[in-house]
Amino acid sequence: MSPAITLPPHIFTEAFPFHFILDSDLNIVQAGSVLQRICPNTLVGSLLEQFFEITRPKITPTFEAVKKQRKSLFVLNSIHNEMQLKGQMIYLEEENLICFLGSPWITDTSSLEPLGLKLKDFAIHDPIVDFIFLLQAKNTSLNDAKRLTEELQQQQLQLKNALRIKENLAKIAESQAKRLEETLRDLQDTQAQLIQTEKMSGLGQMVAGIAHEVNNPVNFIHGNLSYVLTYSNQLLELISLYQKIYPQEHPLISELVEAIDLDFLIEDFPQTIRSMQMGTERIREIVTSLRTFSRLDEAEHKPVNLHDGLESTLLILKHRLKPHGQRPLIEIIKDYGNLPLVECFSGQLNQVFMNIIANAIDALEEHYFQTFNTTGLSLPLRIYISTVLSVESKVIIRIADNGSGIPESVRDKIFDPFFTTKPIGKGTGLGLSICYKIIVDTHGGSLTCKSTPNQGTEFIIELLTHLPPQIKDQNLIELTEISAEKTVERYSQEQSPRKIAEKLTRTLSEGVAESWQYNSSA
Amino acid sequence: MYGLVNKAISDMVKSHFGEQIWQQIREKAEVETDTFIRMEGYPDDVTHRLVKAASEVLELSPAQIMEAFGEFWVQFTASEGYGELMDMSGDDLPEFLQNLDNLHARVGVSFPKLRPPSFDCNEVDDQVLSLEYRSEREGLAPMVVGLVKGLGTRFDTEVNISQVESKDSGADHDEFLIHFKPNSVD
């Protein structure tokens, strides 16, 4: 059904302010008021092509061609300005006219002003104004997105910089912590070294005194005992000869012979002297062992037989190996290989043997009493000492015990300075730390520990047969100390310990002064 | 309220009182963000808190703040990319005010969540207009006073505005009587 009501012309013009009507020659016979206003020349009476170019659809601009495109969207470009009209062509059959209904198509609000358009120029129903609003909103949103993206990028950059700074700070902190840790370790090492030096110095002085005070009189006694034996034998021969030549004794002599039990005396006297000789020999061995152990006469490195050092250590510790109270003998099981002479600081190596074997004895004693008290079992106590020359020409010394072992929780710490599991006052926590320094730093070797709970602990020392060159150079630095030890040794041959100590102090002071002067001038 | 309003408050405070005062107001209002997306809807509470905090920090009444804001709003929207649309909406104060409702209606059609106010402008006499203002929101009537004053500045027109009806006094809308006199005539 066709509508009965149509818009009156003035309302139509208001409702479609951008419309125009074409006749069969494509002359514009009517146009909307706004379109007329914004076109530079008189629109009505002019040809369409004088004002507009049909860009869509692609047709030859003839009345018939336009008439056929009633279902097409028409896009017209103004020839005089940038305006673009969008709409449709409606063929009016009765009047044989074509009516264009549409409005300017705006994609950029800035293009409105040059066209001389205002909002009120558009029909209220025309959605183009809403489209303009949406365009502006889109632009605003895009600008916001762009601004936020820039802010985000800037913040990311700042964050990256901050992270880089943080990373650098963390690295610096880590490096400083590492340096602090190294410094602390150096300090602990130095402290341990100082204590070791002090101990060795004290021990050296003591041994020097013993060597001097005991060795000389013992040698004197030992040397004279052979004469005593000779003289006693001669006297006994003389008595025997008297008895043969003068068998009739004077009663007083007979009385004395009986009183002193001459027969027993003749039999026992040489044995007594021989016992004394054995005793002095034993004392000489002990003194020799002490000297070997301290090796004060060997502050410089030189090739030595390590088995001698091990034996000296065992001799010094012999009293601790004997049965003690309820505790049975600690058995030493040796398996010595065929070792070459090893270039080393033998006094220091002996200190290592001493520490490790003494620790083994402590561990065995503790383990024995713990087991005995809890189970009543009397365990055999053994220390195994073996030496071997490896295929890489390394000397390997293993010292093992069959004690309780070292718990895994503390195994990593046993070489740390001041770490001890012994009761307060009993262990300094320096023994194994010093051992580690002597083996690793002084000799370029290695010291490791293997331990199995309730089976025992094994310390493995690996040494090169020759000291590495850098180790030799490093140890030259300790000339002052070595010189002082040499001084002790030299004086020990001829003077009393007290005088030695006085001279040693004087010499050390001079040495320090010389050293200081050297450093100062350097 | 859309982010454009909150951004306008922020820009107004910053341009008149500086960044530090704005940060003080923002912290007092407990508004964490410093970036408002202009076409995004924000809870009205954010705007109310900002106005209240600004009132306390600047020691001005909320009405004074809103009036100043209304005046600032005209130049702000023009500078924020809506200049052409404002140009399209009228060449003088009465024409612009008569198109004001259309502007807001179109905004409401495109962005229904923004719930823009409505205006009805009628000519009372030569150079006298009445402007009815209806909004779902409370307390924004002083902003309309500032808005008209700002438009007076935009169109170089002397404006005298008085409120003749008020929701605060029980009316169903706010109404203003505007006497205007263009300073220059084309």
Side-chain angles (χ1 to χ4, degrees):
Chain A
M1 195 177 100
S2 299
I5 302 167
T6 57
L7 294 175
H10 70 283
I11 300 291
F12 179 84
T13 303
E14 193 179 320
F16 300 100
F18 299 97
H19 86 278
F20 58 83
I21 294 175
L22 301 170
D23 65 11
S24 56
D25 295 324
L26 296 185
N27 267 318
I28 300 171
V29 296
Q30 179 179 310
S33 56
V34 178
L35 187 63
Q36 288 192 60
R37 194 191 80 213
I38 61 174
C39 282
N41 302 318
T42 308
L43 195 60
V44 178
S46 301
L47 285 169
L48 174 69
E49 63 185 16
Q50 290 177 292
F51 283 88
F52 299 105
E53 179 195 2
I54 301 174
T55 55
R56 303 290 296 199
K58 298 290 182 193
I59 54 168
T60 308
T62 63
F63 187 82
E64 287 305 315
V66 173
K67 194 174 85 175
K68 285 181 185 172
Q69 301 291 332
R70 66 178 62 176
K71 297 287 184 187
S72 295
L73 175 73
F74 273 77
V75 178
L76 311 179
N77 277 1
S78 168
I79 289 168
H80 302 288
N81 55 30
E82 297 295 314
M83 186 173 68
Q84 196 176 47
L85 291 175
K86 179 176 75 70
Q88 67 183 109
M89 296 288 187
I90 301 167
Y91 176 59
L92 308 174
E93 200 172 343
E94 282 182 21
E95 295 87 353
N96 193 33
L97 295 171
I98 290 174
C99 175
F100 171 81
L101 291 182
S103 55
W105 180 244
I106 307 295
T107 54
D108 184 359
T109 51
S110 62
S111 63
L112 284 168
E113 198 185 351
L115 299 177
L117 284 172
K118 298 198 179 299
L119 265 188
K120 63 178 181 181
D121 293 331
F122 292 85
I124 301 295
H125 67 84
D126 194 339
I128 190 71
V129 180
D130 301 303
F131 178 71
I132 292 168
F133 267 93
L134 284 171
L135 272 182
Q136 184 54 48
K138 180 207 77 175
N139 291 339
T140 304
S141 297
L142 278 177
N143 286 337
D144 277 352
K146 193 177 166 192
R147 182 167 50 87
L148 287 171
T149 306
E150 281 169 2
E151 280 177 18
L152 193 65
Q153 282 172 342
Q154 201 175 350
Q155 282 172 357
Q156 277 179 335
L157 195 68
Q158 286 171 347
L159 191 65
K160 266 186 194 171
N161 287 338
L163 281 173
R164 203 178 300 127
I165 290 168
K166 188 186 163 197
E167 206 174 305
N168 287 341
L169 284 174
K171 275 183 189 166
I172 291 168
E174 194 182 340
S175 151
Q176 283 179 340
K178 204 172 172 184
R179 278 168 57 193
L180 194 64
E181 199 180 321
E182 282 168 6
T183 308
L184 186 63
R185 199 181 304 123
D186 286 349
L187 274 172
Q188 286 177 333
D189 287 350
T190 307
Q191 190 175 8
Q193 192 64 43
L194 278 170
I195 292 168
Q196 163 72 352
T197 306
E198 280 300 307
K199 279 168 71 179
M200 290 306 287
S201 171
L203 189 64
Q205 288 184 43
M206 186 184 75
V207 171
I210 290 168
H212 180 81
E213 293 294 335
V214 178
N215 199 37
N216 287 348
V218 164
N219 278 339
F220 178 77
I221 293 165
H222 186 76
N224 284 319
L225 276 176
S226 59
Y227 297 111
V228 171
L229 186 62
T230 305
Y231 297 158
S232 66
N233 284 338
Q234 288 171 347
L235 284 173
L236 290 174
E237 278 175 22
L238 181 65
I239 291 168
S240 175
L241 188 61
Y242 262 99
Q243 284 177 331
K244 278 183 185 171
I245 295 171
Y246 302 106
Q248 204 59 36
E249 292 171 339
H250 188 277
L252 283 174
I253 290 172
S254 298
E255 196 178 328
L256 185 61
V257 164
E258 196 174 340
I260 64 174
D261 194 357
L262 184 62
D263 289 342
F264 175 77
L265 188 149
I266 290 167
E267 189 186 336
D268 195 47
F269 194 19
Q271 284 181 24
T272 305
I273 292 168
R274 273 193 291 279
S275 293
M276 288 167 70
Q277 278 181 317
M278 283 172 67
T280 52
E281 190 60 44
R282 183 88 183 84
I283 293 169
R284 286 177 68 196
E285 278 176 18
I286 291 169
V287 170
T288 305
S289 290
L290 278 172
R291 289 169 64 81
T292 304
F293 176 77
S294 64
R295 290 283 180 174
L296 290 173
D297 50 345
E298 291 173 15
E300 288 183 67
H301 52 85
K302 66 182 230 179
V304 296
N305 181 349
L306 291 187
H307 294 151
D308 288 348
L310 284 164
E311 286 302 310
S312 299
T313 308
L314 288 171
L315 186 63
I316 290 164
L317 290 170
K318 194 172 179 179
H319 70 286
R320 293 205 55 201
L321 300 170
K322 289 176 183 170
H324 183 71
Q326 289 182 314
R327 196 263 286 158
L329 169 81
I330 296 174
E331 194 182 348
I332 301 290
I333 299 167
K334 301 176 204 168
D335 180 13
Y336 289 167
N338 190 16
L339 296 186
L341 296 180
V342 175
E343 191 184 17
C344 64
F345 296 89
S346 56
Q348 293 188 31
L349 270 194
N350 291 341
Q351 176 80 3
V352 173
F353 300 150
M354 170 69 115
N355 271 326
I356 293 176
I357 296 171
N359 272 352
I361 294 169
D362 290 342
L364 286 171
E365 279 182 343
E366 190 184 338
H367 182 53
Y368 176 83
F369 285 115
Q370 270 184 358
T371 310
F372 186 76
N373 290 338
T374 53
T375 64
L377 290 173
S378 178
L379 296 174
L381 304 177
R382 296 189 185 109
I383 293 175
Y384 305 87
I385 302 174
S386 69
T387 60
V388 68
L389 183 66
S390 74
V391 285
E392 298 97 1
S393 293
K394 281 184 180 175
V395 172
I396 299 170
I397 305 137
R398 297 172 195 273
I399 301 171
D401 63 59
N402 63 339
S404 60
I406 300 169
E408 197 178 344
S409 57
V410 300
R411 211 174 298 157
D412 291 341
K413 300 176 188 169
I414 58 171
F415 296 122
D416 291 351
F418 307 107
F419 178 80
T420 181
T421 57
K422 293 177 182 172
I424 294 168
K426 199 164 182 191
T428 61
L430 286 169
L432 286 176
S433 159
I434 289 166
C435 290
Y436 191 85
K437 274 199 76 65
I438 290 171
I439 298 298
V440 177
D441 294 353
T442 312
H443 290 84
S446 72
L447 174 59
T448 52
C449 169
K450 287 182 183 172
S451 187
T452 310
N454 293 319
Q455 289 190 23
T457 303
E458 181 182 54
F459 285 90
I460 303 150
I461 301 164
E462 285 189 18
L463 294 169
L464 298 167
T465 50
H466 295 279
L467 282 175
Q470 69 273 22
I471 298 279
K472 289 180 187 175
D473 294 343
Q474 186 185 332
N475 285 300
L476 282 174
I477 297 165
E478 297 170 9
L479 278 174
T480 308
E481 188 182 339
I482 291 165
S483 142
E485 286 176 350
K486 273 191 164 180
T487 309
V488 171
E489 190 273 334
R490 195 168 68 245
Y491 288 134
S492 70
Q493 298 295 323
E494 51 198 41
Q495 297 186 27
S496 72
R498 191 172 168 184
K499 286 184 177 172
I500 291 166
E502 286 170 359
K503 288 206 172 186
L504 178 65
T505 310
R506 214 163 40 241
T507 308
L508 279 174
S509 305
E510 285 162 5
V512 169
E514 280 168 15
S515 170
W516 180 84
Q517 283 166 3
Y518 172 78
N519 287 335
S520 174
S521 62
Chain B
M1 201 81 81
Y2 54 144
L4 194 65
V5 175
N6 296 329
K7 185 174 187 296
I9 294 174
S10 160
D11 282 14
M12 181 181 76
V13 172
K14 283 178 189 171
S15 64
H16 285 85
F17 303 100
E19 176 73 29
Q20 203 179 346
I21 294 289
W22 164 246
Q23 292 303 336
Q24 207 178 326
I25 289 168
R26 192 176 61 80
E27 281 170 28
K28 198 175 185 67
E30 296 178 355
V31 173
E32 289 188 5
T33 183
D34 199 16
T35 304
F36 297 105
I37 301 167
R38 288 173 289 182
M39 299 317 294
E40 173 73 8
Y42 288 82
D44 287 356
D45 185 47
V46 173
T47 312
H48 290 147
R49 290 208 309 268
L50 286 172
V51 172
K52 186 169 180 284
S55 162
E56 287 169 13
V57 170
L58 301 173
E59 295 178 345
L60 294 166
S61 70
Q64 283 174 305
I65 298 279
M66 288 314 295
E67 187 178 324
F69 175 64
E71 203 165 342
F72 180 78
W73 178 253
V74 177
Q75 65 190 66
F76 172 78
T77 45
S79 68
E80 288 286 304
Y82 292 88
E84 285 93 350
L85 285 170
M86 289 176 78
D87 289 343
M88 282 173 63
S89 297
D91 290 332
D92 52 36
L93 182 70
E95 188 184 359
F96 192 94
L97 287 177
Q98 276 155 5
N99 274 325
L100 197 58
D101 192 60
N102 275 356
L103 267 178
H104 286 81
R106 290 186 192 281
V107 169
V109 166
S110 298
F111 305 100
K113 286 183 184 172
L114 299 182
R115 297 179 289 124
S118 69
F119 295 90
D120 186 16
C121 184
N122 294 294
E123 194 175 315
V124 176
D125 200 350
D126 187 31
Q127 299 191 341
V128 181
L129 299 166
S130 78
L131 182 66
E132 291 180 15
Y133 163 69
R134 287 177 173 80
S135 173
E136 295 175 26
R137 301 182 174 94
E138 299 296 328
L140 298 184
M143 183 182 163
V144 178
V145 176
L147 186 80
V148 173
K149 285 182 178 174
L151 287 170
T153 306
R154 177 178 172 82
F155 295 113
D156 192 21
T157 300
E158 201 177 311
V159 168
N160 193 335
I161 180 167
S162 56
Q163 188 162 2
V164 290
E165 292 281 2
S166 170
K167 277 170 80 175
D168 293 342
S169 307
D172 67 340
H173 68 281
D174 294 288
E175 189 172 336
F176 303 90
L177 198 62
I178 302 162
H179 290 80
F180 66 96
K181 185 181 175 189
N183 288 330
S184 58
V185 180
D186 291 334

